[in-house]
Amino acid sequence: MTPASASAKPDGRPAGLMARADERSYIRVLVVLDTAILTIALLVGYVARFGDEEPSGSKIPYVLVAPGLVLAWLVSLKALGCYDDRVIGYGADEYRRVSSASLRLAGAIAIAGYIADVGVSRGFLGISFAVGTVGLEVARFAARKRLHRARSRGFGWSRKVLVVGDTAHVLELVHTLRREPYAGYQVVGACIPDALLAPVAQRLGDVPVVGSFRGIPEAATAIGADTVAVTASGELTAARLRRLGWQLEGTGVDLVVAPALTDVAGPRIHTRPVAGLPLIHVEAPEFRGARKLVKGFVDRSVSSVALALLLPIIAVIALAIKLDSRGPVLFRQTRVGRGGKEFGVYKFRTMVVNADALLAELTARNETDGLMFKMRDDPRVTRVGRLLRKWSLDELPQLVNVLLGQMSLVGPRPPLPSEVARYDGDVARRLLVKPGMTGLWQVSGRSDLSWEDGIRLDLYYVENWSLAADLTILWKTVGAVLNSRGAY
C-alpha cells in the first residue's frame, strides 16, 4: 500500500483534508455556541436590570445595542485568537484568551461610553459581561471535554503529524504524543535520516516510515499530514531546518520543533532571540518563598473547613467500618514527607487487621511494576473497604495530616520508607515538596498507571507546581473519583 492510499479515507478524501474539515466544523460549533451564550447573557443582563418593563427615561435602543454587543464580542474573541487552532482544545491558553477578550471589550466600552457620554446602563453591561464571560468559559470547557472523549476513542478533530528525526527520538516523541491522545496529535508517519532508510518498507513500531530528510514536504503531502514535528537528529542542521520552514510556506502544513527538554511547564520557559537564535531560558523550580506560604495557608484553611463539613459523613463511615469487621476504625501508617521526614498518615481501615502479615503471601501476585504493591482483587480488603476505596473515601482522615502541616491537598503520593530506601537520585526529588492527598497521578489513572509514569507525573508536579495547577488538579480529582478509574 502506498503512503497516499494509506492516508485516504473511505470516501476517497485524504486524511489531511478530512482533518481540516473536522477542524473547521469544530470552530463553527464554537462560534454558534459562543453566539448563543452571549445572546443569553445580554438577555439576562437586561431582565436583571430592567425586568419586564421598558427602561424609563432612556433613549438607548437596547434592541439594537444587544446585537451590536454580540457582534463586537465575537470580533474581540476572534481578534485575540480564541478560534486559533493552535490554542483551542488543549491547555489553559484558550481560557485565558476568552477572559482577556471579554475584559478588554468591557474596558473599551466603558471608556468609549464615558468619552461619548452614552447613557447605556452600567448595571446592564456589568451583569451581561459577568454572565457572558462565565458562560463562555463553561461552554468552552464542555466543548473541550466532548472533543477529548472523541479523541481518546480515535475520533474527533486531531492534527495529523509527520515526525522527523532519528529513530530513537522519533520513537520517544511518538510515545509522548500517544500518552495524551486527547491533546489531538495523531502520528501518521515518520521521516528518518537517509543513512537509516532501507530499500523495503519500514516501520518504527506501528508508525510507517514514509521517506527521508530529502523529501519531507512531499512525504507530508502523500500521507495527508497537516503538521511536521521535528525532533533531534544530527543531520537536521539549523540551515536545513530553516530551508524546511521555507519549503512548507503556503502548503498549509505547520512546522513544530520538539526540543530535547521535556516535562517543563510553560511559565518556567522564556524564549529570547539572540543573533537570530531562539534561546530557551528555563527558570529554576520554586520550593520556598511567598507562594509556598500561600499554599500552606490555603491547605490548612481548606482542610479545617472540609473536616467540619464532612464530620457527619466521617461518623457514618466509622460506624460502618466498626460493624463490618473486627479492628480499629483508623489505620495509621508511617510515610515519608518533605525532606525525608517520616510521619504517620491516617486512613480509614479498609483491610483486615493482619493485612501486613499476609502481604508476603501475596507478593507474587503484584499487578504493578516498580516499588508499589497493587492487586485488583486483594483478599485482605473488607467489604466496606472495597466501597471506600472505590470512591476514595478511605483517604478523608488525611485532612488531619494536611491540617497538621505534614501533607498538602495536592502533591506527590506519600511513599513508604521501604520505597524511599530504594530511590535513586532522580526519584528522590519527590521529597522536595510535601506529599498530597491528590495529585497528577490520581487524576491520570491512579493504579492503572505504570510505576514509571507515576514517577514522571510526580516529578513534573514537583518541578512545575503552581496554585492554578493545584486548583485544576482538585477539580479533576472530582471527576477521577466519580469515574473510579484505577481505584482498587
Side-chain angles (χ1 to χ4, degrees):
M1 181 180 291
T2 64
S5 62
S7 66
K9 294 294 182 180
D11 61 0
R13 287 185 291 172
L17 293 179
M18 288 290 291
R20 291 297 185 187
D22 291 340
E23 173 193 335
R24 289 192 294 269
S25 177
Y26 181 77
I27 293 175
R28 283 195 295 268
V29 169
L30 286 183
V31 173
V32 172
L33 196 58
D34 290 347
T35 303
I37 292 294
L38 297 179
T39 302
I40 293 172
L42 292 171
L43 286 174
V44 170
Y46 185 88
V47 172
R49 176 61 182 84
F50 302 113
D52 298 331
E53 301 178 356
E54 288 289 332
S56 58
S58 175
K59 298 180 180 180
I60 302 298
Y62 284 91
V63 69
L64 299 178
V65 169
L69 276 176
V70 170
L71 181 60
W73 212 327
L74 292 173
V75 170
S76 180
L77 292 171
K78 174 67 175 177
L80 267 72
C82 298
Y83 302 110
D84 190 336
D85 61 356
R86 291 171 293 185
V87 299
I88 58 176
Y90 188 76
D93 198 27
E94 179 180 7
Y95 300 122
R96 284 196 293 265
R97 293 193 185 195
V98 169
S99 296
S100 179
S102 302
L103 292 175
R104 290 189 184 192
L105 179 63
I109 290 177
I111 294 173
Y114 176 78
I115 294 174
D117 195 22
V118 179
V120 178
S121 170
R122 286 175 292 181
F124 162 73
L125 291 176
I127 296 171
S128 298
F129 274 101
V131 174
T133 303
V134 173
L136 288 173
E137 299 284 12
V138 172
R140 290 296 178 109
F141 175 79
R144 176 180 291 193
K145 298 305 290 186
R146 183 175 181 181
L147 177 63
H148 286 180
R149 285 194 295 269
R151 283 173 171 175
S152 298
R153 298 181 184 127
F155 302 101
W157 158 59
S158 293
R159 290 178 173 273
K160 309 299 179 183
V161 182
L162 172 67
V163 181
V164 178
D166 60 40
T167 54
H169 288 97
V170 165
L171 289 171
E172 183 179 358
L173 181 57
V174 169
H175 173 71
T176 301
L177 294 178
R178 288 181 174 175
R179 201 159 52 203
E180 297 183 352
Y182 55 85
Y185 287 88
Q186 180 183 350
V187 179
V188 295
C191 284
I192 59 178
D194 301 82
L196 302 177
L197 199 63
V200 296
Q202 293 174 262
R203 302 184 77 86
L204 298 178
D206 60 351
V207 177
V209 175
V210 296
S212 69
F213 292 174
R214 296 181 185 275
I216 295 173
E218 293 78 9
T221 301
I223 63 174
D226 55 29
T227 302
V228 172
V230 178
T231 184
S233 175
E235 293 190 22
L236 282 172
T237 62
R240 201 166 189 175
L241 187 58
R242 184 170 63 250
R243 283 196 298 270
L244 175 60
W246 295 341
Q247 291 170 342
L248 294 177
E249 286 181 5
T251 64
V253 179
D254 293 331
L255 175 64
V256 299
V257 179
L261 185 68
T262 59
D263 287 335
V264 179
R268 288 180 55 208
I269 297 176
H270 303 279
T271 303
R272 179 183 301 169
V274 177
L277 180 67
L279 297 180
I280 299 177
H281 292 252
V282 182
E283 293 182 356
E286 185 175 346
F287 300 118
R288 57 180 59 88
R291 288 201 306 152
K292 276 292 185 181
L293 293 176
V294 173
K295 179 179 172 68
F297 174 77
V298 171
D299 283 338
R300 297 194 180 198
S301 300
V302 173
S303 61
S304 60
V305 173
L307 280 170
L309 295 177
L310 295 173
L311 195 57
I313 296 177
I314 291 174
V316 171
I317 293 174
L319 180 62
I321 294 173
K322 204 65 179 176
L323 295 176
D324 179 57
S325 62
R326 180 179 58 86
V329 170
L330 293 178
F331 173 71
R332 186 179 183 274
Q333 188 177 44
T334 300
R335 296 291 179 110
V336 181
R338 184 173 61 181
K341 184 178 180 180
E342 295 185 356
F343 69 98
V345 67
Y346 296 102
K347 299 178 69 175
F348 280 124
R349 182 177 60 84
T350 60
M351 292 185 174
V352 295
V353 290
N354 60 336
D356 289 338
L358 298 174
L359 179 60
E361 304 174 11
L362 302 173
T363 303
R365 298 167 62 183
N366 188 11
E367 297 179 12
T368 186
D369 55 355
L371 306 180
M372 292 188 299
F373 177 85
K374 286 289 183 179
M375 280 183 62
R376 291 185 182 274
D377 297 313
D378 195 326
R380 301 174 298 166
V381 180
T382 64
R383 291 175 300 176
V384 171
R386 293 189 187 281
L387 184 63
L388 296 179
R389 289 186 169 209
K390 180 179 180 180
W391 301 107
S392 298
L393 295 173
D394 58 314
E395 299 178 1
L396 287 181
Q398 292 177 23
L399 289 168
V400 175
N401 294 113
V402 177
L403 188 60
L404 294 175
Q406 299 164 332
M407 292 180 63
S408 177
L409 292 174
V410 180
R413 184 187 61 85
L416 293 165
S418 59
E419 296 175 14
V420 175
R422 290 181 283 172
Y423 277 2
D424 59 23
D426 292 343
V427 181
R429 289 185 64 82
R430 297 173 76 250
L431 305 179
L432 291 174
V433 299
K434 292 180 183 179
M437 290 185 62
T438 185
L440 281 175
W441 75 277
Q442 288 96 329
V443 301
S444 303
R446 288 187 279 187
S447 298
D448 287 344
L449 292 176
S450 66
W451 166 260
E452 180 182 349
D453 283 340
I455 291 298
R456 178 185 60 82
L457 291 172
D458 279 346
L459 292 181
Y460 179 88
Y461 177 82
V462 170
E463 301 280 349
N464 303 287
W465 76 273
S466 68
L467 294 175
D470 283 2
L471 292 176
T472 302
I473 292 172
L474 289 171
W475 171 256
K476 289 184 176 181
T477 299
V478 176
V481 170
L482 293 178
N483 291 332
S484 301
R485 186 166 70 95
Y488 53 87

